[in-house]
Amino acid sequence: MNKKNVFQVFLFFVLFFFLPFFIPYQPRSKFKFLAAYYSVNLACGVYIIRKASRTISGIQRKTGDIAEKINLLIEDNSQETKNQASLKAKIRRYVSLEKIIEELNSSLSSEAVCEKLVQTAFSAIAASPSTCVLYLVDNQTNSLALYKTRKDNKSEVIKAKQGDIFDYWVLRHSSPLLIEDSAKDFRFDLDKVKSEDFRKVSSLISSPLISGRKLLGVLRLDNASANAYSQEDLRFLATVCDLGAVALENSILYQNTQEMAIRDGLTGLFTKGHFLELLKVDIKSAIRHNRPVSLLMMDIDFFKKYNDKFGHIAGDIVLKALSARIEEVIKDRQGECCRFGGEEFCAVLPGQDRVKAMETAEEIRKIISELKIVLRRQQARVTVSIGVAELSKSISDEIELLKSADKALYAAKASGRNCVVAAN
């Protein structure tokens, strides 16, 4: 308060308290005048004070209301800021879908598609520390098989190679799954989960990969902490899986088409054309590294009689049974084999000289001669004749090596069949 204000207050009190004493009036009425004067002023003062008090109370209430509104506005603004941040994150996620679609469709390799799916789910959704697991459906057994994983904890071991109860729930219902807290989810028996996989799983999101009506696999993210994922996370994962399922089926169809081009439809062995390409590569590698390479030519003895006696379906059974046994032996020695003709098979053995190739051929001949095949409820025995040839200085390419092995095969047939003959 400045000097001017102090003087004004002082002057007011002087005039209020002492002015009445200087007003001329009759002595008898002095007391009555002063009493009336001070009573009126006191009443006015009380009125003014009460009014001021009510005004102050009103101002305080309004101030409180304003403060409450300000707090609400601050809270609303904070929530709006969070909503905007969440919306921006959602926009970034869904804008990235265009790039994801391009990358998924840029490759016809199932391996590349699956790698991209796991990478996308792990980087765009995962709440650290998380584990991302991709299971593919085995169509023969209608079960899941672990295909790819990505995890923050590199030392973590996933024991459930064929999935757990969460994955089979998704497989059975063909529907996305969100678990916020597994301890409170009555749908699952946690004791069973613990017995299958010792990893702690408190929350997870999982979605099936479905193309048309075909279930291809299950993609899942799980976390040791509860409430690590939201409904929005599940929606995004389901969208990624929908896109990935189409790309994965395209890659599988392409791969099957490629396999059909190089595999024999009946036996599953390589076709003659593809085998000759492999043989060229093996011969060039053998010459470059100065290593041996041998070739086996095999022919089923008296194959026509099986067709004539039991029918062509029985002949197909014989071809499939023999090709499976031949492939087992040849693959065990890092070789490749093909169906060379109607009842002829051919196999290349990189790294084997004539002696070792003869041993391999004899093992095949023995296995087939002991094989029991039931044709039209009759037990039949099948034998093969085998010709063996080794790459040498006199044999410079695959054509000459094939001719040499074929010549040895005819020598085996001439020797009474069911035997192995090596080219000179």
Side-chain angles (χ1 to χ4, degrees), residues 266-267 300 303 306-307 310-325 339 345 371-378 380 382:
L266 177 64
T267 64
I300 301 175
F303 180 71
Y306 297 104
N307 285 331
F310 300 105
H312 288 283
I313 294 177
D316 290 347
I317 293 173
V318 171
L319 289 171
K320 290 173 71 173
L322 266 63
S323 62
R325 301 306 186 280
R339 184 182 179 187
F345 302 94
L371 184 64
K372 297 178 182 179
I373 303 176
V374 178
L375 302 174
R376 293 186 181 274
R377 299 182 182 180
Q378 295 184 38
V382 183

Side-chain angles (χ1 to χ4, degrees), residues 336-351:
E336 298 292 352
C337 55
C338 78
R339 184 182 179 187
F340 202 73
E343 68 271 17
E344 285 187 332
F345 302 94
C346 195
V348 60
L349 295 168

Side-chain angles (χ1 to χ4, degrees), residues 361-376:
E362 181 59 30
E363 181 181 346
I364 293 173
R365 186 203 65 77
K366 186 177 179 182
I367 289 173
I368 292 175
S369 66
E370 296 174 352
L371 184 64
K372 297 178 182 179
I373 303 176
V374 178
L375 302 174
R376 293 186 181 274

Side-chain angles (χ1 to χ4, degrees), residues 75-351:
E75 185 177 347
D76 290 343
N77 183 60
S78 175
Q79 186 62 42
E80 187 64 27
T81 301
K82 291 179 182 178
N83 291 340
Q84 288 181 1
S86 176
L87 181 60
K88 287 180 180 178
K90 290 178 185 178
I91 291 172
R92 283 196 298 271
R93 272 185 178 180
Y94 286 96
V95 166
S96 68
L97 286 176
E98 182 179 359
K99 183 178 179 182
I100 293 170
I101 293 171
E102 291 178 358
E103 292 178 347
L104 287 173
N105 293 325
S106 64
S107 174
L108 288 172
S109 165
S110 299
E111 173 77 17
V113 170
C114 290
E115 178 63 32
K116 182 58 186 176
L117 277 173
V118 172
Q119 177 187 342
T120 299
F122 190 80
S123 59
I125 305 175
S128 184
S130 287
T131 300
C132 183
V133 185
L134 173 63
Y135 293 98
L136 294 183
V137 174
D138 185 336
N139 293 321
Q140 294 182 346
T141 61
N142 198 31
S143 61
L144 297 174
L146 181 64
Y147 189 73
K148 279 195 176 294
T149 63
R150 181 163 291 194
K151 49 199 175 184
D152 289 312
N153 184 3
K154 303 299 182 183
S155 62
E156 186 178 60
V157 178
I158 299 175
K159 293 180 65 179
K161 305 298 183 184
Q162 293 184 319
D164 55 24
I165 58 175
F166 303 129
D167 304 307
Y168 278 92
W169 187 96
V170 176
L171 181 65
R172 187 169 60 255
H173 293 83
S174 297
S175 175
L177 172 65
L178 167 63
I179 297 179
E180 296 178 339
D181 189 348
S182 59
K184 299 177 182 178
D185 199 313
F186 65 88
R187 294 173 294 178
F188 304 100
D189 183 0
L190 290 185
D191 292 333
K192 188 174 182 181
V193 177
K194 291 175 183 176
S195 66
E196 293 175 346
D197 193 344
F198 62 79
R199 294 187 309 119
K200 183 180 179 182
V201 177
S202 295
S203 59
L204 69 83
I205 50 175
S206 182
S207 181
L209 290 116
I210 302 175
S211 181
R213 294 184 178 180
K214 187 176 182 181
L215 181 61
L216 304 175
V218 174
L219 182 60
R220 133 182 180 180
L221 284 161
D222 60 58
N223 198 290
S225 302
N227 302 305
Y229 307 104
S230 65
Q231 191 69 42
E232 181 58 38
D233 292 330
L234 182 61
R235 277 194 290 268
F236 184 75
L237 179 65
T239 302
V240 171
C241 286
D242 288 342
L243 298 172
V246 175
L248 182 57
E249 186 175 34
N250 288 340
S251 67
I252 292 173
L253 290 173
Y254 176 77
Q255 185 175 337
N256 290 341
T257 302
Q258 293 293 97
E259 285 289 315
M260 289 173 64
I262 64 173
R263 295 278 183 181
D264 176 61
L266 177 64
T267 64
L269 300 179
F270 286 126
T271 59
K272 180 179 178 180
H274 184 68
F275 178 79
L276 292 176
E277 294 297 323
L278 294 176
L279 182 60
K280 287 180 183 179
V281 173
D282 287 334
I283 289 175
K284 288 180 180 179
S285 177
I287 293 172
R288 186 166 56 251
H289 297 98
N290 194 27
R291 292 185 306 190
V293 61
S294 296
L295 188 71
L296 308 184
M297 287 286 287
M298 296 161 275
D299 186 78
I300 301 175
D301 297 328
F302 306 110
F303 180 71
K304 188 175 181 298
K305 74 176 184 179
Y306 297 104
N307 285 331
D308 294 340
K309 184 177 180 180
F310 300 105
H312 288 283
I313 294 177
D316 290 347
I317 293 173
V318 171
L319 289 171
K320 290 173 71 173
L322 266 63
S323 62
R325 301 306 186 280
I326 293 170
E327 187 175 31
E328 285 178 9
V329 176
I330 298 301
K331 277 198 170 183
D332 189 50
R333 289 157 176 76
Q334 288 74 51
E336 298 292 352
C337 55
C338 78
R339 184 182 179 187
F340 202 73
E343 68 271 17
E344 285 187 332
F345 302 94
C346 195
V348 60
L349 295 168

